[in-house]
Short mmCIF file of all heavy atoms in Angstrom, two decimals:
data_model
loop_
_atom_site.label_atom_id
_atom_site.label_comp_id
_atom_site.label_asym_id
_atom_site.label_seq_id
_atom_site.Cartn_x
_atom_site.Cartn_y
_atom_site.Cartn_z
N SER A 30 -6.89 -6.54 1.56
CA SER A 30 -5.71 -5.54 1.65
C SER A 30 -6.07 -4.28 0.79
O SER A 30 -6.24 -4.47 -0.41
CB SER A 30 -4.45 -6.17 1.14
OG SER A 30 -3.47 -5.15 1.03
N PRO A 31 -6.11 -3.17 1.44
CA PRO A 31 -6.47 -1.97 0.62
C PRO A 31 -5.41 -1.56 -0.39
O PRO A 31 -5.65 -0.72 -1.27
CB PRO A 31 -6.58 -0.87 1.70
CG PRO A 31 -5.78 -1.34 2.76
CD PRO A 31 -5.91 -2.82 2.87
N TYR A 32 -4.20 -2.10 -0.29
CA TYR A 32 -3.18 -1.81 -1.20
C TYR A 32 -3.12 -2.61 -2.49
O TYR A 32 -2.61 -2.25 -3.53
CB TYR A 32 -1.76 -1.98 -0.52
CG TYR A 32 -1.71 -1.37 0.84
CD1 TYR A 32 -1.92 -2.10 2.00
CD2 TYR A 32 -1.55 0.00 0.99
CE1 TYR A 32 -1.88 -1.56 3.28
CE2 TYR A 32 -1.60 0.62 2.22
CZ TYR A 32 -1.66 -0.17 3.35
OH TYR A 32 -1.64 0.46 4.61
N ARG A 33 -3.81 -3.80 -2.47
CA ARG A 33 -3.99 -4.61 -3.65
C ARG A 33 -5.05 -4.06 -4.56
O ARG A 33 -6.19 -3.68 -4.02
CB ARG A 33 -4.40 -5.99 -3.24
CG ARG A 33 -3.34 -6.90 -2.69
CD ARG A 33 -3.91 -8.23 -2.44
NE ARG A 33 -3.03 -9.22 -1.81
CZ ARG A 33 -3.46 -10.16 -1.01
NH1 ARG A 33 -4.74 -10.21 -0.58
NH2 ARG A 33 -2.62 -11.08 -0.52
N THR A 34 -4.91 -4.04 -5.83
CA THR A 34 -5.97 -3.78 -6.72
C THR A 34 -6.53 -5.14 -7.20
O THR A 34 -6.06 -6.17 -6.71
CB THR A 34 -5.47 -2.98 -8.01
OG1 THR A 34 -4.65 -3.80 -8.76
CG2 THR A 34 -4.69 -1.70 -7.56
N SER A 35 -7.50 -5.09 -8.03
CA SER A 35 -8.07 -6.42 -8.51
C SER A 35 -7.17 -6.99 -9.66
O SER A 35 -7.42 -8.08 -10.06
CB SER A 35 -9.49 -6.16 -9.07
OG SER A 35 -9.50 -5.33 -10.15
N ALA A 36 -6.25 -6.23 -10.08
CA ALA A 36 -5.24 -6.76 -11.06
C ALA A 36 -4.07 -7.27 -10.23
O ALA A 36 -3.47 -6.57 -9.47
CB ALA A 36 -4.79 -5.70 -12.02
N GLY A 37 -3.80 -8.55 -10.42
CA GLY A 37 -2.93 -9.29 -9.43
C GLY A 37 -1.61 -8.64 -9.07
O GLY A 37 -1.20 -8.70 -7.92
N ASN A 38 -0.94 -7.98 -10.02
CA ASN A 38 0.45 -7.45 -9.72
C ASN A 38 0.46 -5.97 -9.66
O ASN A 38 1.50 -5.32 -9.74
CB ASN A 38 1.44 -7.93 -10.76
CG ASN A 38 1.25 -7.27 -12.07
OD1 ASN A 38 0.07 -6.99 -12.45
ND2 ASN A 38 2.31 -7.28 -12.92
N ILE A 39 -0.69 -5.26 -9.51
CA ILE A 39 -0.75 -3.81 -9.45
C ILE A 39 -1.22 -3.38 -8.02
O ILE A 39 -2.21 -3.95 -7.53
CB ILE A 39 -1.73 -3.21 -10.47
CG1 ILE A 39 -1.12 -3.57 -11.90
CG2 ILE A 39 -1.83 -1.73 -10.39
CD1 ILE A 39 -2.10 -3.09 -13.08
N TYR A 40 -0.38 -2.47 -7.51
CA TYR A 40 -0.73 -1.99 -6.08
C TYR A 40 -0.76 -0.54 -6.06
O TYR A 40 -0.26 0.14 -6.98
CB TYR A 40 0.35 -2.47 -5.14
CG TYR A 40 0.48 -3.95 -5.03
CD1 TYR A 40 1.15 -4.77 -5.96
CD2 TYR A 40 -0.01 -4.60 -3.83
CE1 TYR A 40 1.17 -6.16 -5.86
CE2 TYR A 40 0.05 -6.00 -3.72
CZ TYR A 40 0.67 -6.72 -4.69
OH TYR A 40 0.72 -8.12 -4.55
N ILE A 41 -1.54 -0.02 -5.13
CA ILE A 41 -1.62 1.47 -4.88
C ILE A 41 -0.96 1.77 -3.59
O ILE A 41 -1.23 1.07 -2.59
CB ILE A 41 -3.08 1.93 -4.99
CG1 ILE A 41 -3.17 3.48 -4.80
CG2 ILE A 41 -4.00 1.23 -3.99
CD1 ILE A 41 -4.52 4.06 -4.96
N CYS A 42 -0.10 2.80 -3.55
CA CYS A 42 0.69 3.04 -2.34
C CYS A 42 0.63 4.51 -1.89
O CYS A 42 1.51 4.99 -1.16
CB CYS A 42 2.13 2.60 -2.54
SG CYS A 42 3.03 3.46 -3.77
N SER A 43 -0.35 5.24 -2.34
CA SER A 43 -0.46 6.66 -2.12
C SER A 43 -1.15 6.95 -0.86
O SER A 43 -1.62 6.07 -0.07
CB SER A 43 -1.13 7.40 -3.22
OG SER A 43 -2.61 6.96 -3.27
N SER A 44 -1.31 8.27 -0.52
CA SER A 44 -2.13 8.64 0.62
C SER A 44 -3.63 8.34 0.58
O SER A 44 -4.32 8.58 1.48
CB SER A 44 -1.95 10.17 0.90
OG SER A 44 -2.38 10.90 -0.07
N SER A 45 -4.00 7.81 -0.62
CA SER A 45 -5.34 7.31 -0.80
C SER A 45 -5.47 5.88 -0.14
O SER A 45 -6.56 5.28 -0.33
CB SER A 45 -5.77 7.29 -2.17
OG SER A 45 -5.82 8.54 -2.76
N THR A 46 -4.45 5.36 0.56
CA THR A 46 -4.53 4.14 1.26
C THR A 46 -4.27 4.46 2.71
O THR A 46 -3.75 5.55 3.03
CB THR A 46 -3.44 3.16 0.69
OG1 THR A 46 -2.11 3.67 0.92
CG2 THR A 46 -3.65 2.87 -0.80
N PRO A 47 -4.47 3.47 3.61
CA PRO A 47 -4.25 3.71 4.98
C PRO A 47 -2.68 3.96 5.27
O PRO A 47 -1.82 3.37 4.63
CB PRO A 47 -4.51 2.44 5.71
CG PRO A 47 -5.59 1.84 4.79
CD PRO A 47 -5.13 2.16 3.42
N PRO A 48 -2.31 4.87 6.13
CA PRO A 48 -3.15 5.61 7.07
C PRO A 48 -3.64 7.04 6.50
O PRO A 48 -4.24 7.86 7.20
CB PRO A 48 -2.34 5.92 8.27
CG PRO A 48 -0.94 6.07 7.61
CD PRO A 48 -0.90 5.10 6.53
N GLY A 49 -3.39 7.30 5.25
CA GLY A 49 -3.84 8.56 4.64
C GLY A 49 -2.74 9.66 4.62
O GLY A 49 -1.60 9.30 4.58
N GLY A 50 -3.18 10.87 4.62
CA GLY A 50 -2.25 12.06 4.37
C GLY A 50 -1.29 12.22 5.43
O GLY A 50 -1.39 11.77 6.58
N GLY A 51 -0.21 12.97 5.02
CA GLY A 51 0.91 13.26 5.98
C GLY A 51 2.17 12.66 5.46
O GLY A 51 2.21 11.70 4.63
N VAL A 52 3.27 13.28 5.81
CA VAL A 52 4.59 12.90 5.37
C VAL A 52 5.12 11.83 6.41
O VAL A 52 5.77 12.23 7.40
CB VAL A 52 5.59 14.13 5.18
CG1 VAL A 52 6.92 13.65 4.84
CG2 VAL A 52 4.99 15.11 4.28
N HIS A 53 4.80 10.56 6.14
CA HIS A 53 5.26 9.56 7.11
C HIS A 53 5.74 8.24 6.33
O HIS A 53 6.41 7.35 6.93
CB HIS A 53 4.10 9.15 7.97
CG HIS A 53 2.86 9.02 7.29
ND1 HIS A 53 2.53 8.13 6.35
CD2 HIS A 53 1.62 9.80 7.47
CE1 HIS A 53 1.27 8.23 5.89
NE2 HIS A 53 0.79 9.27 6.59
N GLY A 54 5.39 8.13 5.09
CA GLY A 54 5.87 7.05 4.20
C GLY A 54 5.17 5.70 4.55
O GLY A 54 5.50 4.77 3.90
N MET A 55 4.23 5.71 5.46
CA MET A 55 3.64 4.46 5.88
C MET A 55 2.74 3.79 4.88
O MET A 55 2.61 2.56 4.83
CB MET A 55 2.92 4.64 7.23
CG MET A 55 3.83 5.02 8.40
SD MET A 55 5.08 3.82 8.76
CE MET A 55 4.03 2.46 9.48
N CYS A 56 2.11 4.60 4.04
CA CYS A 56 1.32 4.10 2.97
C CYS A 56 2.25 3.26 1.98
O CYS A 56 1.83 2.11 1.60
CB CYS A 56 0.64 5.11 2.14
SG CYS A 56 -0.43 6.27 3.17
N GLY A 57 3.30 3.83 1.59
CA GLY A 57 4.24 3.20 0.73
C GLY A 57 4.92 1.96 1.40
O GLY A 57 5.09 0.91 0.77
N TYR A 58 5.20 2.09 2.68
CA TYR A 58 5.91 0.98 3.39
C TYR A 58 4.95 -0.24 3.45
O TYR A 58 5.27 -1.34 3.13
CB TYR A 58 6.26 1.35 4.83
CG TYR A 58 6.52 0.27 5.70
CD1 TYR A 58 7.70 -0.44 5.68
CD2 TYR A 58 5.60 -0.16 6.68
CE1 TYR A 58 8.07 -1.43 6.49
CE2 TYR A 58 5.90 -1.20 7.57
CZ TYR A 58 7.10 -1.82 7.48
OH TYR A 58 7.40 -2.87 8.30
N HIS A 59 3.64 -0.03 3.81
CA HIS A 59 2.69 -1.15 3.98
C HIS A 59 2.32 -1.68 2.58
O HIS A 59 2.16 -2.94 2.46
CB HIS A 59 1.36 -0.66 4.63
CG HIS A 59 1.63 -0.41 6.15
ND1 HIS A 59 1.92 -1.42 7.01
CD2 HIS A 59 1.42 0.71 6.85
CE1 HIS A 59 2.01 -0.87 8.24
NE2 HIS A 59 1.68 0.40 8.22
N ALA A 60 2.25 -0.94 1.61
CA ALA A 60 2.02 -1.42 0.23
C ALA A 60 3.06 -2.34 -0.17
O ALA A 60 2.86 -3.43 -0.73
CB ALA A 60 1.73 -0.32 -0.77
N ALA A 61 4.34 -1.87 0.06
CA ALA A 61 5.48 -2.72 -0.43
C ALA A 61 5.64 -3.94 0.33
O ALA A 61 5.87 -5.03 -0.15
CB ALA A 61 6.81 -1.82 -0.23
N GLN A 62 5.28 -3.91 1.73
CA GLN A 62 5.27 -5.11 2.55
C GLN A 62 4.15 -6.13 1.99
O GLN A 62 4.41 -7.27 1.93
CB GLN A 62 4.93 -4.71 3.92
CG GLN A 62 6.05 -4.03 4.61
CD GLN A 62 7.25 -4.98 4.89
OE1 GLN A 62 7.12 -6.29 4.99
NE2 GLN A 62 8.35 -4.44 5.11
N ARG A 63 3.03 -5.60 1.54
CA ARG A 63 2.03 -6.47 0.99
C ARG A 63 2.50 -7.10 -0.33
O ARG A 63 2.36 -8.35 -0.52
CB ARG A 63 0.79 -5.63 0.66
CG ARG A 63 -0.40 -6.41 0.16
CD ARG A 63 -1.02 -7.29 1.10
NE ARG A 63 -0.56 -8.69 1.05
CZ ARG A 63 -0.78 -9.65 1.93
NH1 ARG A 63 -1.56 -9.30 3.09
NH2 ARG A 63 -0.29 -10.82 1.89
N ALA A 64 3.20 -6.39 -1.18
CA ALA A 64 3.74 -6.95 -2.40
C ALA A 64 4.84 -7.93 -2.08
O ALA A 64 4.95 -9.00 -2.81
CB ALA A 64 4.33 -5.77 -3.30
N LEU A 65 5.64 -7.67 -1.14
CA LEU A 65 6.65 -8.61 -0.76
C LEU A 65 6.04 -9.94 -0.33
O LEU A 65 6.57 -11.05 -0.73
CB LEU A 65 7.57 -8.02 0.35
CG LEU A 65 8.55 -7.03 -0.01
CD1 LEU A 65 9.15 -6.30 1.20
CD2 LEU A 65 9.70 -7.59 -0.89
#
C-alpha cells in the first residue's frame, strides 16, 4: 500500500501518493480507507 509507511501507525495522504496532483481528495480518501 503506497499510503502506509514502514512505521505501523503513520500514513501519507498527500498528492505524493496515488493518484497524484489535482483537487480531487482521492489521495486522502484512499489513505484513510487503508488506515480504517
